[in-house]
Amino acid sequence: MSRAWGRGPFLRQEFPAQRSPVSQVEWPQERHITVGFMVRRVLVAGLLFSLLLGSSVLLVYIFRSCGPRPCRTPECHDLQAHYLASGNTSVAPCTDFFSFACGDAKGTKSSFQALAEENKRRLRKILEEPGSRHLGTGEDKAFQFYSSCVDTGAIEAEGAAPLRQVIEELGGWRISGNWTSLDFNRTLSLLMSQYGYFPFFRAYLRPHPTLPHTPVIQIDQPEFDLPLKQEQEQKIYAQIVREYLAYLSRLGALLGGDPDKVQQHAFLSISITSQLFQFLRPLEEQQAQKKLFQLVTIDQLQEMAPAIDWLSCLQATFTPMSLRPSQLLVVHDLEYLKNMSQLVEEQLLKYRDFLQSHMILGLVGTLSPALNSKFQEARRSLIQKLRELTQRPPMPTSPRWMKCVEETGAFFEPTLAALFIHEAFSPKTQSAAMELFTAIKDTLIARLRRVPWMDEKTRKEAQDRVTQLQVKMGGPEWALKPSLAREEYNDIQLGPSYLQSFLSCVRSLRARIVQNFLQSFPQHRWQVSTWGVSAYYSISDHVVVFPAGLLQPPFFHPGYPRAVNFGAAGSIMAHELLHIFSQLLLPGGCPACDTHALQGALLCLKRHYQSIPLPSGLSFNGSWTLLENAADIGGVAIALQAYSRRLLRYYGETILPNLDLSPLQLFFRSYAQVMCREPSTWEPQDPHSPPMLRVHGPLSNMQAFARHFHCPRGALMNPSSRCQLW
């Protein structure tokens, strides 16, 4: 305390001895100074607190502004409703993420099938509302064909008369009493070229095995209606034959045939089919003998299978190609063709009329979609009964409009492709999809630097392969430029019956396919329709294709949260990119690589998938699905890394409201949603794993999934060990 205050006048006052006069005199001044100091401290503290409180509020505001916001657009509301309807949030995601995302999946169509049907609904809307469009002559034919296809009243009124006319053009048959014994090869040539039916073998154009832009004719085994197997129980075989016999007899009756003759001819037709089937060799046997495909000339095939006039039949089918005896063919199973030829020769000597009936009965089955409801119902009933006998799930029944959309799309693809692009794949959508693909591709290139089993040379070549890759997105060049798709279809004659329109379209399509192969194409020929939902990688052209039909809700939309687009469409893109390197994973496919590390990673992958439980009665071959499993498990990892990199560069991420999922949780949910499918619809010959494994396999291998869903150690989705392949 300052001494000046001790010299004041209050020192002259007297106070009791027991108390200090100084303390007594100075107390009021000391109290004044202490209170002021405390007030200042309180004010300073209050100011600091206010600043801290204000900054905290500001930080909270900033974080809320920059953090994920609910997406309120109509597209997001639709997606949210889709997720809520399909999932089952009562299931713990760490225990069964497939059920969490897909529900029990019973009666659920696969996500790809559901998207394909939605695309067909869009095409239906286009085809049923032509008034708002300025159509050219060719486009108008597409709309006319669709209209005649859905006009079931006219088709029913025509009855079997159009089909009887076709049979007469082929020479008739004994079943109806009128039969002209035409030359066998002339009839076969007509069936192949005018009706698109191949009773004894299939022939089609494909790219040459070593010259991808050069067409070659491939000869394959026929497609059998009977679901026969090399090793089949006699009881099942007898039931299948009985059902097929009843079906053929029903066809003959619908065509006015004598019941006794119909039964006899139907039985001998089945006998011919059964013998042809016995000539087939298992695929494994052909691979073991290294005779999966053989190159032979038409002349050489004529010597080995003389019953068929190969040059005349193929020339008629593939006009305007100019074929000669020295023309090379790709043959799938030469032994089958030799035995088939011998059987045909025997039938021609003994049962020429039965051979004719066999071909016509097969043609009627092929044409059933263009016939009236009685023929269609006979076909549908056969298929359902055969699926029951072979313990396959029932075939879903499609509405008439959907079948008509499919047929119109097949015959008038250029027109419908351009219309679909205009309707469903705007420049904004294409730009956003290409931006997503670029992010996936760049992430893969960066990730290849850390693949442990690759040597430096292979790594550099792999990165170059990705860099040089072409990408086709949306549709072919002519679909993206509608003016190029306005074909006139001058060779298509519509009417007088729907069957005649159908057959005219069959001939026109075949001619266009041949003409397409004969043109010098520097670019890739698309193998899927523009509205299709299948992406693929072409080895011969080193191009990856993503059709517009795949880049649609719920897989992709420019207005979706990025987590959805990366988790769904991004994972699909990465999956297809990894197929560039499938050859490296095969035995001996990468001699310079660290074989021990690669085989260890593949073995780990097999064991990882085998450790995941499946529904009872469902099993799979891990070796058969290995390449697809590798692409699945790597595809999700690449897409997640690409998404994480994008989060570091861009703000404004959104989420779906009312789902209680963070952006990264939404990423995983979106991937799983793509794989939703009823397990019972999975077929053992499918190169992909069952749908539950396609979800649990990749996601349980990712530590990020367990971290973001807080899965306890040892849970199904948080195993003790993981595999690193890509």
Side-chain angles (χ1 to χ4, degrees):
M1 183 143 324
S2 173
R3 290 185 180 182
W5 287 105
R7 296 190 181 101
F10 286 110
L11 290 174
R12 292 193 293 266
Q13 297 181 5
E14 292 184 354
F15 292 94
Q18 68 269 22
R19 298 185 63 185
S20 167
V22 174
S23 62
Q24 184 70 23
V25 172
E26 293 185 343
W27 168 247
Q29 183 67 22
E30 181 183 12
R31 184 174 184 273
H32 174 75
I33 295 171
T34 306
V35 169
F37 180 71
M38 291 179 66
V39 168
R40 285 195 297 271
R41 290 185 64 182
V42 169
L43 289 174
V44 171
L47 180 61
L48 288 174
F49 178 76
S50 299
L51 289 173
L52 287 172
L53 181 62
S55 61
S56 299
V57 172
L58 181 62
L59 286 173
V60 170
Y61 175 78
I62 291 172
F63 281 129
R64 285 183 177 177
S65 299
C66 296
R69 304 183 309 276
C71 177
R72 303 293 185 184
T73 63
E75 296 81 16
C76 286
H77 281 295
D78 290 344
L79 185 64
Q80 171 200 341
H82 176 68
Y83 280 11
L84 288 172
S86 60
N88 184 359
T89 54
S90 65
V91 177
C94 297
T95 303
D96 184 358
F97 196 70
F98 178 81
S99 296
F100 176 83
C102 305
D104 59 13
K106 290 182 179 179
T108 304
K109 298 173 182 175
S110 78
S111 296
F112 287 94
Q113 183 183 353
L115 178 55
E117 291 184 3
E118 181 59 32
N119 290 342
K120 289 172 187 173
R121 289 188 187 93
R122 285 195 173 193
L123 289 175
R124 178 192 187 186
K125 184 178 179 181
I126 293 171
L127 289 167
E128 293 184 353
E129 298 178 1
S132 59
R133 306 176 189 280
H134 300 287
L135 303 177
T137 306
E139 292 171 314
D140 188 57
K141 281 189 176 180
F143 285 81
Q144 289 180 36
F145 177 83
Y146 175 80
S147 297
S148 65
C149 180
V150 295
D151 187 359
T152 54
I155 295 173
E156 294 299 318
E158 291 164 356
L163 182 57
R164 291 195 187 98
Q165 182 181 344
V166 168
I167 294 174
E168 290 174 7
E169 292 171 358
L170 292 169
W173 56 349
R174 288 279 190 204
I175 287 177
S176 60
N178 300 318
W179 179 54
T180 302
S181 182
L182 300 179
D183 176 74
F184 164 77
N185 275 290
R186 179 176 177 274
T187 303
L188 180 61
S189 177
L190 286 172
L191 288 170
M192 293 169 57
S193 62
Q194 300 299 304
Y195 302 98
Y197 174 60
F198 298 81
F200 303 106
F201 55 87
R202 283 186 298 146
Y204 54 93
L205 283 175
R206 55 156 290 180
H208 193 279
T210 56
L211 303 170
H213 295 291
T214 302
V216 64
I217 298 173
Q218 179 162 324
I219 311 294
D220 273 2
Q221 303 159 347
E223 294 179 338
F224 293 105
D225 278 344
L226 294 176
L228 302 174
K229 297 180 180 178
Q230 297 292 344
E231 297 178 0
Q232 198 163 42
E233 294 182 19
Q234 188 64 32
K235 180 181 178 181
I236 299 297
Y237 174 82
Q239 289 176 315
I240 290 174
V241 169
R242 190 157 44 247
E243 291 294 344
Y244 197 65
L245 180 62
Y247 164 70
L248 294 182
S249 299
R250 187 174 177 184
L251 293 186
L254 289 173
L255 289 164
D258 176 82
D260 292 335
K261 288 183 178 179
V262 167
Q263 188 85 358
Q264 185 183 20
H265 283 244
F267 184 82
L268 284 174
S269 176
I270 292 176
S271 175
I272 292 172
T273 298
S274 180
Q275 291 180 73
L276 289 172
F277 181 81
Q278 296 302 319
F279 298 150
L280 301 181
R281 290 185 302 152
L283 183 62
E284 296 78 10
E285 180 183 332
Q286 297 179 53
Q287 290 175 329
Q289 297 178 359
K290 296 183 178 180
K291 291 183 177 180
L292 192 57
F293 295 102
Q294 293 174 263
L295 285 172
V296 298
T297 65
I298 291 179
D299 252 357
Q300 290 171 332
L301 186 57
Q302 190 65 56
E303 291 181 10
M304 291 182 278
I308 310 297
D309 187 343
W310 293 100
L311 183 59
S312 65
C313 287
L314 295 177
Q315 182 65 78
T317 303
F318 297 106
T319 300
M321 285 183 71
S322 180
L323 302 182
R324 55 192 184 280
S326 59
Q327 182 83 32
L328 275 177
L329 308 172
V330 174
V331 176
H332 179 64
D333 187 348
L334 195 54
E335 291 303 314
Y336 166 82
L337 295 180
K338 292 177 181 178
N339 291 322
M340 176 273 298
S341 174
Q342 184 175 349
L343 175 63
V344 169
E345 287 181 327
E346 293 172 357
Q347 293 293 321
L348 287 173
L349 288 174
K350 300 179 181 178
Y351 309 108
R352 180 180 291 265
D353 55 342
F354 291 111
L355 197 62
Q356 174 83 352
S357 297
H358 169 74
M359 292 190 290
I360 289 178
L361 286 170
L363 174 64
V364 173
T366 301
L367 296 181
S368 60
L371 303 176
N372 65 28
S373 59
K374 294 179 180 179
F375 289 94
Q376 292 181 39
E377 178 55 36
R379 183 78 174 177
R380 185 162 44 247
S381 176
L382 170 71
I383 292 173
Q384 298 292 23
K385 289 177 180 177
L386 293 182
R387 292 181 75 90
E388 289 176 12
L389 289 173
T390 53
Q391 297 182 340
R392 298 174 65 193
M395 181 73 73
T397 302
S398 300
R400 178 69 184 179
W401 69 262
M402 188 173 291
K403 294 179 180 178
C404 292
V405 165
E406 292 169 356
E407 290 173 6
T408 309
F411 297 140
F412 299 91
E413 182 176 358
T415 293
L416 264 64
L419 294 173
F420 186 83
I421 289 286
H422 181 268
E423 179 77 18
F425 201 67
S426 67
K428 180 181 177 181
T429 302
Q430 183 180 16
S431 176
M434 189 61 74
E435 181 183 350
L436 173 62
F437 174 78
T438 301
I440 297 294
K441 185 179 75 169
D442 291 347
T443 301
L444 173 58
I445 292 173
R447 196 177 180 90
L448 287 171
R449 301 190 193 109
R450 299 190 300 275
V451 174
W453 47 268
M454 279 189 179
D455 63 290
E456 287 303 318
K457 182 181 177 183
T458 302
R459 181 176 290 108
K460 179 64 169 59
E461 290 175 349
Q463 290 175 320
D464 289 344
R465 289 282 288 168
V466 179
T467 302
Q468 296 161 7
L469 178 72
Q470 298 181 68
V471 58
K472 303 292 184 182
M473 194 167 289
E477 284 75 4
W478 47 260
L480 298 172
K481 298 178 181 178
S483 60
L484 301 178
R486 291 183 175 175
E487 298 198 9
E488 295 300 321
Y489 308 108
N490 291 327
D491 56 342
I492 292 181
Q493 302 298 321
L494 298 180
S497 67
Y498 174 67
L499 178 59
Q500 292 298 328
S501 298
F502 180 88
L503 291 173
S504 181
C505 289
V506 167
R507 294 157 193 158
S508 174
L509 177 60
R510 178 167 297 279
R512 272 182 283 139
I513 290 174
V514 174
Q515 195 63 46
N516 183 43
F517 268 95
L518 292 179
Q519 293 176 6
S520 178
F521 265 75
Q523 68 268 20
H524 174 73
R525 292 185 179 94
W526 278 53
Q527 300 170 19
V528 294
S529 64
T530 302
W531 54 88
V533 297
S534 298
Y536 66 92
Y537 167 67
S538 170
I539 298 175
S540 57
D541 291 338
H542 191 48
V543 60
V544 64
V545 176
F546 302 103
L550 180 67
L551 299 171
Q552 300 293 322
F555 292 178
F556 181 82
H557 191 278
Y560 279 171
R562 292 190 186 97
V564 174
N565 288 335
F566 274 88
S571 295
I572 295 172
M573 290 176 176
H575 176 108
E576 294 305 326
L577 286 179
L578 286 177
H579 279 315
I580 299 172
F581 310 116
S582 292
Q583 186 67 30
L584 297 178
L585 306 184
L586 298 176
C590 187
C593 293
D594 185 340
T595 306
H596 179 75
L598 174 58
Q599 293 305 315
L602 292 174
L603 181 60
C604 178
L605 191 66
K606 289 182 181 178
R607 289 174 176 171
H608 177 71
Y609 273 75
Q610 289 169 352
S611 68
I612 300 172
L614 284 172
S616 59
L618 199 63
S619 62
F620 80 109
N621 184 337
S623 299
W624 176 253
T625 62
L626 178 63
L627 294 181
E628 293 296 340
N629 292 344
D632 278 345
I633 210 166
V636 186
I638 292 166
L640 177 62
Q641 185 176 343
Y643 176 58
S644 300
R645 293 171 70 179
R646 187 54 57 99
L647 285 179
L648 294 175
R649 299 178 185 177
Y650 296 92
Y651 298 104
E653 179 63 303
T654 57
I655 56 175
L656 296 179
N658 302 323
L659 283 185
D660 195 26
L661 294 175
S662 70
L664 284 164
Q665 289 176 329
L666 183 58
F667 170 92
F668 295 119
R669 172 69 189 270
S670 299
Y671 167 75
Q673 202 73 39
V674 169
M675 300 302 168
C676 288
R677 175 183 174 186
E678 185 176 350
S680 64
T681 63
W682 179 80
E683 301 282 356
Q685 62 270 23
D686 192 334
H688 303 90
S689 289
M692 188 175 291
L693 280 186
R694 297 196 73 183
V695 173
H696 290 166
L699 297 187
S700 64
N701 194 61
M702 304 179 72
Q703 192 171 8
F705 178 90
R707 183 170 66 253
H708 287 285
F709 277 97
H710 313 291
C711 296
R713 192 75 168 172
L716 174 66
M717 302 305 291
N718 189 12
S720 57
S721 62
R722 293 179 172 88
C723 311
Q724 184 180 359
L725 181 63
W726 294 110

